[in-house]
Coordinates of all heavy atoms in Angstrom, one line a residue:
M158 N 0.8 -1.2 0.0 CA 0.0 0.0 0.0 C 0.8 1.3 -0.1 O 0.5 2.2 -0.6 CB -0.9 -0.1 1.2 CG -2.0 1.1 1.2 SD -3.1 0.7 2.4 CE -4.5 1.2 1.8
A159 N 1.9 1.2 0.7 CA 2.8 2.3 0.6 C 3.4 2.6 -0.7 O 3.6 3.7 -1.1 CB 4.0 2.0 1.6
A160 N 3.6 1.6 -1.5 CA 4.0 1.7 -2.9 C 3.0 2.4 -3.8 O 3.3 3.2 -4.6 CB 4.5 0.4 -3.4
A161 N 1.7 2.1 -3.5 CA 0.7 2.6 -4.3 C 0.5 4.1 -4.0 O 0.3 4.9 -5.0 CB -0.6 1.9 -4.0
T162 N 0.7 4.5 -2.8 CA 0.6 5.9 -2.4 C 1.7 6.7 -3.0 O 1.6 7.7 -3.5 CB 0.6 6.1 -0.8 OG1 -0.5 5.2 -0.3 CG2 0.4 7.5 -0.4
K163 N 2.9 6.1 -2.9 CA 4.1 6.7 -3.5 C 4.0 6.9 -5.0 O 4.4 7.9 -5.6 CB 5.3 5.9 -3.2 CG 6.6 6.6 -3.4 CD 7.8 5.7 -2.9 CE 9.0 6.5 -3.0 NZ 10.2 5.9 -2.5
L164 N 3.3 6.0 -5.7 CA 3.1 6.0 -7.2 C 2.2 7.2 -7.5 O 2.4 7.8 -8.4 CB 2.6 4.7 -7.6 CG 2.4 4.6 -9.1 CD1 3.7 4.7 -9.9 CD2 1.8 3.2 -9.4
K165 N 1.1 7.4 -6.7 CA 0.1 8.4 -6.9 C 0.8 9.8 -6.8 O 0.6 10.7 -7.4 CB -1.0 8.3 -6.0 CG -2.1 7.4 -6.5 CD -3.4 7.5 -5.7 CE -4.5 6.8 -6.3 NZ -5.8 7.0 -5.6
V166 N 1.7 9.9 -5.7 CA 2.4 11.1 -5.5 C 3.3 11.5 -6.7 O 3.3 12.6 -7.2 CB 3.2 11.1 -4.2 CG1 4.1 12.3 -4.1 CG2 2.3 10.9 -3.0
T167 N 4.0 10.4 -7.3 CA 4.8 10.7 -8.4 C 4.0 11.1 -9.5 O 4.3 12.0 -10.3 CB 5.6 9.4 -8.7 OG1 6.3 9.1 -7.5 CG2 6.5 9.6 -9.8
E168 N 2.9 10.4 -9.8 CA 2.0 10.7 -10.9 C 1.4 12.2 -10.8 O 1.5 12.9 -11.8 CB 0.8 9.8 -11.1 CG 1.2 8.4 -11.6 CD 0.0 7.5 -11.6 OE1 -1.1 8.0 -11.5 OE2 0.3 6.2 -11.7
T169 N 1.0 12.5 -9.7 CA 0.6 13.9 -9.4 C 1.6 14.8 -9.7 O 1.4 15.9 -10.3 CB -0.1 14.0 -8.0 OG1 -0.9 13.0 -7.7 CG2 -0.5 15.4 -7.8
T170 N 2.8 14.6 -9.2 CA 3.9 15.5 -9.4 C 4.3 15.6 -10.9 O 4.6 16.7 -11.4 CB 5.2 15.0 -8.6 OG1 4.8 14.8 -7.3 CG2 6.3 15.9 -8.7
T171 N 4.2 14.5 -11.6 CA 4.5 14.6 -13.1 C 3.4 15.4 -13.7 O 3.7 16.3 -14.6 CB 4.6 13.2 -13.7 OG1 5.4 12.4 -13.0 CG2 4.9 13.2 -15.1
E172 N 2.1 15.3 -13.3 CA 1.1 16.0 -13.9 C 1.3 17.6 -13.6 O 1.0 18.5 -14.4 CB -0.2 15.6 -13.4 CG -0.6 14.2 -14.0 CD -1.8 13.6 -13.4 OE1 -2.4 14.3 -12.5 OE2 -2.2 12.5 -13.7
D173 N 1.7 17.8 -12.4 CA 1.9 19.2 -11.8 C 3.0 19.7 -12.7 O 3.0 20.9 -13.1 CB 2.3 19.2 -10.3 CG 1.1 19.0 -9.5 OD1 -0.1 19.0 -10.0 OD2 1.3 18.7 -8.3
L174 N 4.1 19.1 -12.9 CA 5.2 19.5 -13.7 C 4.8 19.8 -15.1 O 5.2 20.8 -15.6 CB 6.4 18.6 -13.6 CG 7.2 18.5 -12.3 CD1 8.2 17.4 -12.4 CD2 7.8 19.8 -12.1
A175 N 4.0 18.9 -15.7 CA 3.5 19.1 -17.1 C 2.7 20.4 -17.1 O 2.8 21.2 -18.0 CB 2.7 17.9 -17.5
A176 N 1.8 20.6 -16.1 CA 0.9 21.8 -16.1 C 1.8 23.1 -15.9 O 1.6 24.1 -16.6 CB 0.0 21.8 -15.0
Q177 N 2.9 23.0 -15.1 CA 3.7 24.1 -14.9 C 4.6 24.5 -16.2 O 4.8 25.6 -16.5 CB 4.7 23.8 -13.7 CG 4.0 23.9 -12.3 CD 5.0 23.5 -11.2 OE1 6.1 23.2 -11.4 NE2 4.5 23.5 -10.0
V178 N 5.0 23.4 -16.8 CA 5.7 23.6 -18.1 C 4.8 24.3 -19.2 O 5.2 25.2 -19.8 CB 6.2 22.2 -18.6 CG1 6.8 22.4 -20.1 CG2 7.4 21.7 -17.8
E179 N 3.6 23.9 -19.2 CA 2.6 24.5 -20.1 C 2.4 25.9 -19.7 O 2.3 26.8 -20.6 CB 1.3 23.7 -20.2 CG 1.4 22.4 -20.8 CD 1.9 22.5 -22.3 OE1 1.3 23.4 -23.0 OE2 2.7 21.7 -22.7
A180 N 2.3 26.2 -18.5 CA 2.1 27.6 -18.0 C 3.3 28.4 -18.4 O 3.2 29.6 -18.7 CB 1.9 27.6 -16.5
L181 N 4.5 27.9 -18.1 CA 5.7 28.5 -18.5 C 5.8 28.8 -20.0 O 6.2 29.9 -20.4 CB 7.0 27.7 -18.1 CG 7.4 27.8 -16.6 CD1 8.5 26.9 -16.4 CD2 7.8 29.2 -16.3
K182 N 5.3 27.9 -20.9 CA 5.3 28.1 -22.3 C 4.3 29.2 -22.7 O 4.7 30.1 -23.4 CB 4.9 26.8 -23.0 CG 5.9 25.7 -23.1 CD 5.3 24.5 -23.8 CE 6.3 23.4 -23.9 NZ 5.8 22.2 -24.7
S183 N 3.2 29.2 -22.1 CA 2.2 30.3 -22.4 C 2.8 31.7 -21.9 O 2.6 32.7 -22.5 CB 0.8 30.0 -21.8 OG 0.9 30.0 -20.4
D184 N 3.4 31.7 -20.6 CA 4.0 32.9 -20.2 C 5.1 33.4 -21.1 O 5.2 34.6 -21.3 CB 4.6 32.7 -18.7 CG 3.5 32.6 -17.7 OD1 2.3 32.9 -18.0 OD2 3.8 32.2 -16.5
L185 N 6.0 32.5 -21.6 CA 7.0 32.8 -22.5 C 6.5 33.4 -23.8 O 6.9 34.4 -24.3 CB 8.0 31.7 -22.8 CG 9.0 31.4 -21.6 CD1 9.7 30.1 -21.9 CD2 9.9 32.5 -21.4
A186 N 5.4 32.8 -24.2 CA 4.8 33.3 -25.5 C 4.2 34.7 -25.3 O 4.4 35.5 -26.1 CB 3.7 32.3 -25.9
A187 N 3.6 34.9 -24.1 CA 3.1 36.3 -23.8 C 4.2 37.2 -23.7 O 4.1 38.4 -24.2 CB 2.2 36.2 -22.5
L188 N 5.3 36.9 -23.0 CA 6.4 37.7 -22.9 C 7.0 38.1 -24.2 O 7.4 39.2 -24.6 CB 7.4 37.1 -21.9 CG 8.7 37.9 -21.6 CD1 8.3 39.2 -21.0 CD2 9.6 37.1 -20.8
T189 N 7.1 37.1 -25.1 CA 7.7 37.3 -26.5 C 6.8 38.3 -27.2 O 7.3 39.2 -27.8 CB 7.7 36.0 -27.2 OG1 8.6 35.1 -26.5 CG2 8.4 36.2 -28.6
G190 N 5.5 38.2 -27.1 CA 4.5 39.1 -27.7 C 4.7 40.5 -27.2 O 4.8 41.5 -27.9
T191 N 4.8 40.6 -25.9 CA 5.1 41.9 -25.3 C 6.3 42.6 -25.7 O 6.4 43.8 -26.0 CB 5.0 41.7 -23.7 OG1 3.8 41.2 -23.3 CG2 5.1 43.1 -23.0
L192 N 7.4 41.8 -25.7 CA 8.7 42.4 -26.2 C 8.7 42.8 -27.6 O 9.3 43.9 -28.0 CB 9.8 41.3 -26.0 CG 10.2 41.2 -24.5 CD1 11.3 40.1 -24.3 CD2 10.8 42.4 -23.9
A193 N 8.0 42.0 -28.5 CA 7.8 42.4 -29.8 C 7.0 43.7 -30.0 O 7.4 44.6 -30.8 CB 7.1 41.3 -30.6
E194 N 6.0 43.8 -29.3 CA 5.1 45.1 -29.3 C 6.0 46.3 -28.8 O 5.9 47.4 -29.4 CB 3.9 44.9 -28.6 CG 2.9 46.0 -28.7 CD 2.4 46.1 -30.2 OE1 2.3 45.0 -30.8 OE2 2.1 47.2 -30.6
Y195 N 6.8 46.1 -27.8 CA 7.7 47.1 -27.2 C 8.7 47.5 -28.3 O 8.9 48.7 -28.4 CB 8.3 46.7 -26.0 CG 9.3 47.6 -25.4 CD1 8.8 48.7 -24.7 CD2 10.7 47.4 -25.5 CE1 9.7 49.7 -24.2 CE2 11.6 48.3 -25.0 CZ 11.1 49.5 -24.3 OH 11.9 50.5 -23.8
G196 N 9.3 46.5 -28.9 CA 10.2 46.8 -30.0 C 9.6 47.7 -31.2 O 10.3 48.6 -31.6
K197 N 8.4 47.3 -31.5 CA 7.7 48.0 -32.6 C 7.5 49.5 -32.2 O 7.6 50.5 -32.9 CB 6.4 47.4 -32.9 CG 6.6 46.1 -33.7 CD 5.2 45.4 -34.0 CE 5.4 44.1 -34.7 NZ 4.2 43.4 -34.9
T198 N 7.0 49.6 -30.9 CA 6.7 50.9 -30.4 C 8.0 51.9 -30.3 O 8.0 53.0 -30.8 CB 6.1 50.9 -29.0 OG1 4.9 50.1 -29.0 CG2 5.7 52.3 -28.5
Q199 N 9.1 51.3 -29.9 CA 10.4 52.0 -29.8 C 10.9 52.3 -31.2 O 11.4 53.4 -31.4 CB 11.4 51.1 -29.0 CG 11.2 51.1 -27.5 CD 11.2 52.5 -26.9 OE1 10.1 53.1 -26.6 NE2 12.4 52.9 -26.6
G200 N 10.7 51.4 -32.1 CA 11.1 51.6 -33.5 C 10.3 52.8 -34.1 O 10.8 53.7 -34.8
A201 N 9.0 52.9 -33.8 CA 8.2 53.9 -34.3 C 8.6 55.2 -33.8 O 8.7 56.3 -34.5 CB 6.8 53.6 -34.1
H202 N 9.0 55.3 -32.4 CA 9.4 56.5 -31.8 C 10.8 57.0 -32.4 O 10.9 58.2 -32.7 CB 9.6 56.3 -30.3 CG 8.3 56.2 -29.5 ND1 7.3 57.3 -29.5 CD2 7.8 55.3 -28.8 CE1 6.3 56.9 -28.8 NE2 6.5 55.6 -28.3
L203 N 11.6 56.1 -32.6 CA 12.9 56.4 -33.2 C 12.7 56.9 -34.6 O 13.4 57.8 -35.0 CB 13.8 55.2 -33.2 CG 14.4 54.8 -31.8 CD1 15.2 53.5 -31.8 CD2 15.2 55.9 -31.1
K204 N 11.8 56.3 -35.4 CA 11.6 56.7 -36.8 C 11.1 58.1 -36.8 O 11.5 58.9 -37.7 CB 10.6 55.7 -37.4 CG 10.3 56.0 -38.9 CD 9.4 54.9 -39.4 CE 9.1 55.2 -40.9 NZ 8.2 54.2 -41.4
E205 N 10.1 58.4 -36.0 CA 9.6 59.8 -35.9 C 10.6 60.8 -35.5 O 10.7 61.9 -36.0 CB 8.4 59.8 -35.0 CG 7.1 59.1 -35.4 CD 6.6 59.6 -36.8 OE1 6.6 60.9 -36.9 OE2 6.3 58.8 -37.6
G206 N 11.5 60.4 -34.5 CA 12.6 61.4 -34.1 C 13.6 61.6 -35.3 O 14.0 62.8 -35.5
A207 N 13.9 60.6 -36.0 CA 14.8 60.7 -37.2 C 14.1 61.6 -38.3 O 14.8 62.4 -38.9 CB 15.2 59.4 -37.7
K208 N 12.9 61.4 -38.5 CA 12.2 62.2 -39.5 C 12.1 63.7 -39.1 O 12.4 64.6 -39.9 CB 10.7 61.7 -39.6 CG 10.5 60.5 -40.6 CD 9.1 60.2 -40.6 CE 8.9 59.0 -41.5 NZ 7.4 58.6 -41.7
A209 N 11.9 63.9 -37.9 CA 11.9 65.3 -37.4 C 13.3 65.9 -37.5 O 13.5 67.1 -37.9 CB 11.5 65.4 -35.9
R210 N 14.4 65.2 -37.2 CA 15.7 65.7 -37.3 C 16.1 66.0 -38.9 O 16.7 67.0 -39.1 CB 16.7 64.8 -36.7 CG 16.7 64.9 -35.2 CD 17.9 64.1 -34.5 NE 17.9 62.7 -34.8 CZ 17.2 61.8 -34.1 NH1 16.4 62.2 -33.1 NH2 17.2 60.6 -34.5
A211 N 15.7 65.1 -39.7 CA 15.9 65.2 -41.1 C 15.2 66.5 -41.6 O 15.7 67.2 -42.4 CB 15.5 64.0 -41.9
A212 N 13.9 66.7 -41.2 CA 13.2 67.8 -41.7 C 13.9 69.1 -41.1 O 14.0 70.1 -41.9 CB 11.8 67.7 -41.2
S213 N 14.3 69.1 -39.9 CA 15.0 70.3 -39.4 C 16.3 70.6 -40.1 O 16.5 71.7 -40.5 CB 15.3 70.0 -37.9 OG 16.1 71.1 -37.3
A214 N 17.1 69.5 -40.4 CA 18.4 69.7 -41.2 C 18.0 70.3 -42.6 O 18.8 71.1 -43.1 CB 19.1 68.4 -41.3
R215 N 17.0 69.7 -43.3 CA 16.6 70.2 -44.5 C 16.2 71.6 -44.6 O 16.7 72.4 -45.4 CB 15.5 69.3 -45.1 CG 15.1 69.6 -46.6 CD 14.0 68.8 -47.2 NE 12.8 68.6 -46.3 CZ 12.5 67.5 -45.6 NH1 13.2 66.4 -45.9 NH2 11.4 67.4 -44.9
E216 N 15.4 72.0 -43.6 CA 15.0 73.4 -43.5 C 16.2 74.3 -43.2 O 16.3 75.4 -43.9 CB 14.0 73.6 -42.4 CG 12.7 73.0 -42.7 CD 11.7 73.0 -41.5 OE1 12.1 73.6 -40.4 OE2 10.6 72.5 -41.6
S217 N 17.2 73.9 -42.4 CA 18.3 74.7 -42.1 C 19.2 74.8 -43.4 O 19.7 75.9 -43.7 CB 19.2 74.0 -41.0 OG 20.4 74.7 -40.8
G218 N 19.4 73.7 -44.1 CA 20.1 73.7 -45.3 C 19.5 74.6 -46.4 O 20.2 75.4 -47.0
E219 N 18.2 74.7 -46.5 CA 17.5 75.5 -47.4 C 17.7 76.9 -47.1 O 17.9 77.8 -47.9 CB 16.0 75.2 -47.6 CG 15.8 73.8 -48.3 CD 14.3 73.3 -48.2 OE1 13.5 73.9 -47.5 OE2 14.0 72.3 -48.8
A220 N 17.7 77.3 -45.8 CA 17.8 78.6 -45.3 C 19.2 79.1 -45.7 O 19.5 80.2 -46.1 CB 17.5 78.7 -43.9
Q221 N 20.3 78.2 -45.4 CA 21.6 78.6 -45.8 C 21.9 78.8 -47.3 O 22.5 79.6 -47.7 CB 22.6 77.5 -45.2 CG 22.7 77.5 -43.7 CD 23.6 76.4 -43.2 OE1 24.1 75.5 -43.9 NE2 23.9 76.4 -41.9
I222 N 21.2 77.9 -48.1 CA 21.3 78.0 -49.5 C 20.8 79.5 -50.0 O 21.3 80.1 -50.8 CB 20.7 76.9 -50.2 CG1 21.5 75.6 -50.0 CG2 20.4 77.2 -51.7 CD1 20.8 74.4 -50.5
A223 N 19.6 79.8 -49.4 CA 19.0 81.1 -49.8 C 19.9 82.2 -49.4 O 20.0 83.2 -50.1 CB 17.6 81.2 -49.1
Q224 N 20.4 82.1 -48.2 CA 21.4 83.1 -47.7 C 22.6 83.3 -48.6 O 23.0 84.3 -49.0 CB 21.8 82.9 -46.3 CG 22.7 84.0 -45.7 CD 23.2 83.6 -44.3 OE1 22.9 82.6 -43.8 NE2 23.8 84.6 -43.6
L225 N 23.1 82.1 -49.0 CA 24.4 82.2 -49.9 C 24.0 82.7 -51.3 O 24.8 83.4 -51.9 CB 24.9 80.7 -50.1 CG 25.7 80.2 -48.7 CD1 26.1 78.7 -49.0 CD2 26.8 81.1 -48.5
R226 N 22.8 82.4 -51.8 CA 22.4 82.9 -53.0 C 22.3 84.4 -53.0 O 22.7 85.2 -53.9 CB 21.0 82.3 -53.5 CG 21.3 80.9 -54.0 CD 19.9 80.4 -54.5 NE 20.1 79.0 -55.0 CZ 19.1 78.1 -55.2 NH1 17.9 78.4 -54.9 NH2 19.4 77.0 -55.7
A227 N 21.7 84.9 -51.8 CA 21.5 86.4 -51.7 C 22.9 87.0 -51.7 O 23.1 88.0 -52.3 CB 20.8 86.7 -50.5
Q228 N 23.9 86.4 -50.9 CA 25.2 86.9 -50.8 C 25.9 86.9 -52.3 O 26.6 87.8 -52.6 CB 26.1 86.2 -49.9 CG 25.7 86.4 -48.4 CD 26.5 85.6 -47.5 OE1 27.3 84.6 -47.9 NE2 26.4 85.9 -46.1
G229 N 25.6 85.8 -53.0 CA 26.3 85.7 -54.3 C 25.8 86.8 -55.2 O 26.4 87.5 -56.0
A230 N 24.4 87.1 -55.2 CA 23.8 88.1 -56.0 C 24.4 89.5 -55.6 O 24.7 90.2 -56.4 CB 22.3 88.1 -55.8
E231 N 24.6 89.8 -54.3 CA 25.1 91.0 -53.9 C 26.5 91.2 -54.3 O 27.0 92.3 -54.8 CB 25.1 91.1 -52.3 CG 25.6 92.4 -51.7 CD 24.8 93.6 -52.2 OE1 23.6 93.5 -52.4 OE2 25.4 94.7 -52.3
L232 N 27.3 90.2 -54.2 CA 28.7 90.2 -54.7 C 28.8 90.4 -56.3 O 29.6 91.2 -56.8 CB 29.5 88.9 -54.4 CG 29.8 88.8 -52.8 CD1 30.5 87.4 -52.6 CD2 30.8 89.9 -52.5
G233 N 27.9 89.8 -57.0 CA 27.8 90.1 -58.4 C 27.5 91.5 -58.7 O 28.1 92.1 -59.6
K234 N 26.5 92.1 -58.0 CA 26.2 93.6 -58.2 C 27.4 94.4 -57.9 O 27.6 95.3 -58.6 CB 25.0 93.8 -57.3 CG 23.6 93.3 -57.8 CD 22.6 93.7 -56.8 CE 21.3 93.0 -57.2 NZ 20.2 93.4 -56.2
Q235 N 28.1 94.1 -56.8 CA 29.3 94.8 -56.4 C 30.5 94.8 -57.5 O 31.0 95.8 -57.8 CB 29.9 94.4 -55.0 CG 29.0 94.8 -53.8 CD 29.6 94.2 -52.6 OE1 30.6 93.5 -52.6 NE2 28.9 94.4 -51.5
A236 N 30.5 93.6 -58.0 CA 31.5 93.4 -59.2 C 31.1 94.1 -60.3 O 32.0 94.9 -61.0 CB 31.7 91.9 -59.4
E237 N 29.9 94.1 -60.7 CA 29.4 94.9 -61.8 C 29.6 96.4 -61.6 O 30.0 97.1 -62.5 CB 28.0 94.5 -62.1 CG 27.4 95.1 -63.3 CD 25.9 94.7 -63.6 OE1 25.5 93.6 -63.1 OE2 25.2 95.4 -64.2
S238 N 29.3 96.8 -60.4 CA 29.4 98.3 -60.1 C 30.8 98.7 -60.2 O 31.2 99.7 -60.8 CB 28.9 98.5 -58.7 OG 29.2 99.8 -58.3
F239 N 31.7 97.8 -59.7 CA 33.2 98.1 -59.8 C 33.7 98.2 -61.3 O 34.4 99.1 -61.5 CB 34.0 97.1 -59.0 CG 35.5 97.3 -59.1 CD1 36.1 98.2 -58.1 CD2 36.3 96.6 -59.9 CE1 37.4 98.4 -58.2 CE2 37.7 96.7 -59.9 CZ 38.3 97.7 -59.0
V240 N 33.2 97.3 -62.1 CA 33.7 97.2 -63.5 C 33.1 98.6 -64.2 O 33.8 99.1 -65.0 CB 33.1 96.0 -64.1 CG1 33.3 96.1 -65.7 CG2 33.9 94.8 -63.6
Q241 N 31.9 98.9 -63.9 CA 31.4 100.2 -64.5 C 32.0 101.4 -64.0 O 32.3 102.4 -64.8 CB 29.9 100.2 -64.3 CG 29.0 99.2 -65.0 CD 27.6 99.2 -64.7 OE1 27.2 100.0 -63.8 NE2 26.8 98.5 -65.4
E242 N 32.5 101.4 -62.8 CA 33.1 102.6 -62.2 C 34.5 102.7 -62.6 O 35.1 103.8 -62.9 CB 33.0 102.7 -60.6 CG 31.6 102.8 -60.1 CD 31.6 102.7 -58.6 OE1 32.7 102.6 -57.9 OE2 30.5 102.7 -58.1
K243 N 35.3 101.6 -62.7 CA 36.7 101.6 -63.1 C 37.0 100.5 -64.1 O 37.6 99.5 -63.8 CB 37.5 101.3 -61.8 CG 37.2 102.3 -60.7 CD 38.0 102.0 -59.4 CE 37.6 103.0 -58.4 NZ 38.3 102.8 -57.1
P244 N 36.6 100.9 -65.4 CA 36.8 99.8 -66.4 C 38.3 99.5 -66.7 O 38.7 98.3 -66.9 CB 36.2 100.3 -67.7 CG 36.0 101.8 -67.4 CD 36.0 102.0 -65.8
A245 N 39.1 100.5 -66.7 CA 40.6 100.3 -67.0 C 41.3 99.4 -65.9 O 42.0 98.5 -66.2 CB 41.3 101.5 -67.1
M246 N 40.9 99.7 -64.6 CA 41.5 98.8 -63.5 C 40.9 97.4 -63.6 O 41.7 96.5 -63.3 CB 41.1 99.5 -62.2 CG 41.8 98.8 -61.1 SD 41.3 99.5 -59.4 CE 42.5 100.9 -59.4
S247 N 39.7 97.3 -64.0 CA 39.0 95.9 -64.1 C 39.8 95.2 -65.2 O 40.1 93.9 -64.9 CB 37.6 96.1 -64.4 OG 36.9 96.7 -63.4
V248 N 40.1 95.8 -66.3 CA 40.7 95.0 -67.3 C 42.2 94.6 -66.9 O 42.6 93.5 -67.1 CB 40.8 95.8 -68.6 CG1 41.8 95.2 -69.7 CG2 39.4 96.1 -69.2
G249 N 42.9 95.6 -66.3 CA 44.2 95.3 -65.8 C 44.2 94.2 -64.7 O 45.1 93.3 -64.7
L250 N 43.2 94.2 -63.8 CA 43.1 93.2 -62.7 C 42.8 91.9 -63.4 O 43.4 90.8 -63.0 CB 42.1 93.6 -61.8 CG 41.8 92.7 -60.6 CD1 43.1 92.7 -59.7 CD2 40.7 93.2 -59.7
A251 N 41.9 91.8 -64.4 CA 41.6 90.5 -65.0 C 42.8 89.9 -65.7 O 43.1 88.7 -65.7 CB 40.4 90.7 -66.0
A252 N 43.5 90.8 -66.4 CA 44.8 90.4 -67.2 C 45.9 89.9 -66.2 O 46.5 88.8 -66.4 CB 45.3 91.5 -68.0
G253 N 46.0 90.6 -65.1 CA 47.0 90.1 -64.0 C 46.6 88.8 -63.4 O 47.4 87.9 -63.3
L254 N 45.3 88.7 -63.1 CA 44.9 87.3 -62.6 C 45.0 86.2 -63.6 O 45.3 85.1 -63.3 CB 43.4 87.4 -62.1 CG 43.2 88.3 -60.8 CD1 41.7 88.4 -60.5 CD2 43.9 87.6 -59.6
G255 N 44.7 86.6 -64.9 CA 44.8 85.5 -65.9 C 46.3 85.1 -66.1 O 46.7 84.0 -66.3
F256 N 47.2 86.1 -66.0 CA 48.7 85.8 -66.2 C 49.1 84.9 -65.0 O 49.8 83.9 -65.2 CB 49.4 87.1 -66.2 CG 50.9 86.9 -66.2 CD1 51.5 86.6 -67.4 CD2 51.8 87.1 -65.1 CE1 52.9 86.3 -67.5 CE2 53.1 86.9 -65.2 CZ 53.7 86.5 -66.4
V257 N 48.7 85.2 -63.8 CA 49.1 84.4 -62.6 C 48.5 83.0 -62.7 O 49.2 82.0 -62.4 CB 48.7 85.1 -61.3 CG1 48.9 84.2 -60.0 CG2 49.5 86.4 -61.1
A258 N 47.2 82.9 -63.1 CA 46.6 81.6 -63.3 C 47.3 80.8 -64.4 O 47.5 79.6 -64.2 CB 45.1 81.8 -63.6
G259 N 47.7 81.5 -65.4 CA 48.5 80.8 -66.4 C 49.8 80.2 -66.0 O 50.2 79.2 -66.4
L260 N 50.5 81.0 -65.1 CA 51.8 80.5 -64.5 C 51.5 79.3 -63.7 O 52.3 78.3 -63.8 CB 52.4 81.7 -63.7 CG 53.0 82.8 -64.5 CD1 53.5 83.9 -63.4 CD2 54.1 82.4 -65.3
F261 N 50.5 79.3 -62.9 CA 50.3 78.1 -62.0 C 49.8 76.9 -62.8 O 50.3 75.8 -62.5 CB 49.2 78.4 -61.0 CG 49.7 79.2 -59.8 CD1 49.1 80.5 -59.5 CD2 50.8 78.8 -59.0 CE1 49.6 81.2 -58.4 CE2 51.2 79.6 -58.0 CZ 50.6 80.7 -57.7
L262 N 49.0 77.1 -63.8 CA 48.6 76.0 -64.7 C 49.6 75.5 -65.6 O 49.7 74.3 -66.0 CB 47.3 76.5 -65.5 CG 46.1 76.7 -64.6 CD1 44.9 77.2 -65.5 CD2 45.7 75.5 -63.8
A263 N 50.6 76.3 -66.0 CA 51.7 75.9 -66.9 C 52.8 75.1 -66.2 O 53.5 74.3 -66.8 CB 52.3 77.1 -67.6
R264 N 52.8 75.2 -64.8 CA 53.9 74.4 -64.1 C 53.5 72.9 -64.2 O 52.3 72.5 -64.1 CB 53.8 74.8 -62.7 CG 54.4 76.2 -62.5 CD 54.3 76.5 -61.0 NE 55.6 77.1 -60.6 CZ 55.9 77.4 -59.4 NH1 55.1 77.0 -58.4 NH2 57.0 78.0 -59.1
K265 N 54.6 72.1 -64.3 CA 54.3 70.6 -64.4 C 55.0 70.0 -63.2 O 56.0 70.1 -62.7 CB 54.9 70.1 -65.7 CG 53.9 70.4 -66.8 CD 54.3 69.8 -68.1 CE 53.4 70.2 -69.2 NZ 53.6 69.5 -70.4

């Protein structure tokens, strides 16, 4: 009779272990789903942050381009004004710069 009681305890323990393993499997599946959802959420947050930084950089770049274009236009106007006010000096300056550039380009 002692053997029969011991056998039932072992069977119950095996059944309990099987139930606990099944519970662990379902808990692990739930945990895996939760981690996957967390990863998706974090990915979405990072993506939005990257988009915002890219838009900010693009706007900053466009503003700098507009500023450089305005400066270029102003420098062009100043050069045109200088040429109209002092045509002989402009021709001499252009010839001198051309000569110097020729010297540098002719070197081997």
